[in-house]
């Protein structure tokens, strides 16, 4: 079984900008059950189907499969829950690790998150200066949650 080990952070400022052109992503969910999410993603001309299990801290089982882009687009259009996640993903290297910075669009505009995938949950990480508060354990920042509770509607109470 493959496991995803990922830490997630808010981004404190724009000093990360200009290091990558970014790529636009569109993703939707067939299931947002906390025990198992099923996601369809379209990245340019590539489609992906991803199944993730429940998180235990920064670790969760993950299965990801390439699918034809036309099938991903059709699933997004006809099967996935609304609203969907739209974002631009930037890949930025820092201290030997590859960070992914997601600038959310659409219903989640205004939110910018950074993620780092690790080989081990105890792996040391040197944080870039533009990294803010860690939100790994805050379920509200998961894409599945954001697809059901968009950031722009959080207001005073994001729950």
């Amino acid at each position: 079984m493959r496991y995803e080990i990922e830490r997630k952070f808010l981004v404190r400022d724009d000093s990360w900008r200009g290091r990558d052109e970014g790529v636009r992503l569109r993703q939707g969910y067939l299931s947002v059950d906390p025990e198992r999410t099923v996601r369809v993603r379209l990245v340019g001309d590539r489609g992906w189907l991803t199944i993730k299990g429940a998180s235990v801290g920064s670790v969760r089982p993950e299965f990801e499969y390439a699918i034809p882009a036309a099938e991903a687009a059709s699933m997004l259009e006809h099967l996935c829950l609304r609203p969907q996640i739209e974002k631009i993903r930037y890949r930025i290297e820092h201290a030997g690790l590859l960070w992914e910075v997601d600038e959310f669009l659409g219903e989640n505009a205004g939110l910018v998150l950074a993620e780092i995938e690790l080989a081990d949950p105890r792996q040391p990480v040197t944080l870039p200066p533009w990294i803010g508060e860690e939100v790994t354990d805050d379920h509200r920042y998961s894409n599945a949650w954001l697809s059901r509770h968009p950031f722009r509607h959080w207001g005073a109470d994001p729950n």
Side-chain angles (χ1 to χ4, degrees):
M1 181 175 302
R2 183 192 181 294
Y3 287 91
E4 173 186 63
I5 303 166
E6 178 181 85
R7 291 177 63 190
K8 191 175 290 202
F9 300 82
L10 295 174
V11 173
R12 93 171 62 236
D13 62 43
D14 285 342
S15 62
W16 58 272
R17 291 192 184 277
R19 300 173 194 210
D20 182 45
E21 292 180 20
V23 62
R24 191 177 184 105
L25 283 81
R26 180 176 165 209
Q27 67 188 45
Y29 289 85
L30 298 168
S31 171
V32 291
D33 181 319
E35 297 299 314
R36 68 202 57 79
T37 60
V38 181
R39 174 185 78 201
V40 176
R41 179 180 276 174
L42 190 58
V43 184
D45 62 351
R46 299 192 62 176
W48 302 93
L49 179 66
T50 306
I51 299 107
K52 296 185 180 192
S55 293
V56 177
S58 62
V59 180
R60 66 181 164 180
E62 177 185 65
F63 304 89
E64 188 165 63
Y65 307 96
I67 61 174
E71 290 182 18
S74 183
M75 284 187 240
L76 285 163
E77 186 65 30
H78 301 290
L79 299 177
C80 290
L81 301 168
R82 300 274 196 259
Q84 295 178 356
I85 300 290
E86 299 173 74
K87 58 188 173 182
I88 300 173
R89 174 163 284 171
Y90 303 89
R91 297 169 60 108
I92 301 168
E93 189 172 329
H94 178 79
L97 294 175
L98 187 62
W99 289 80
E100 293 179 334
V101 176
D102 289 339
E103 180 177 18
F104 287 82
L105 307 169
E107 293 290 304
N108 290 292
L111 180 61
V112 181
L113 294 173
E115 303 174 347
I116 187 73
E117 287 203 25
L118 305 170
D120 182 281
R122 296 172 305 278
Q123 181 177 344
V125 175
T126 301
L127 301 179
W130 38 267
I131 288 295
E133 175 186 354
E134 183 165 5
V135 294
T136 300
D137 294 327
D138 189 337
H139 72 279
R140 298 173 303 168
Y141 293 98
S142 76
N143 285 300
W145 177 267
L146 289 167
S147 75
R148 307 305 298 150
H149 308 276
F151 182 70
R152 72 178 217 150
H153 299 295
W154 283 13
D157 182 12
N159 296 306

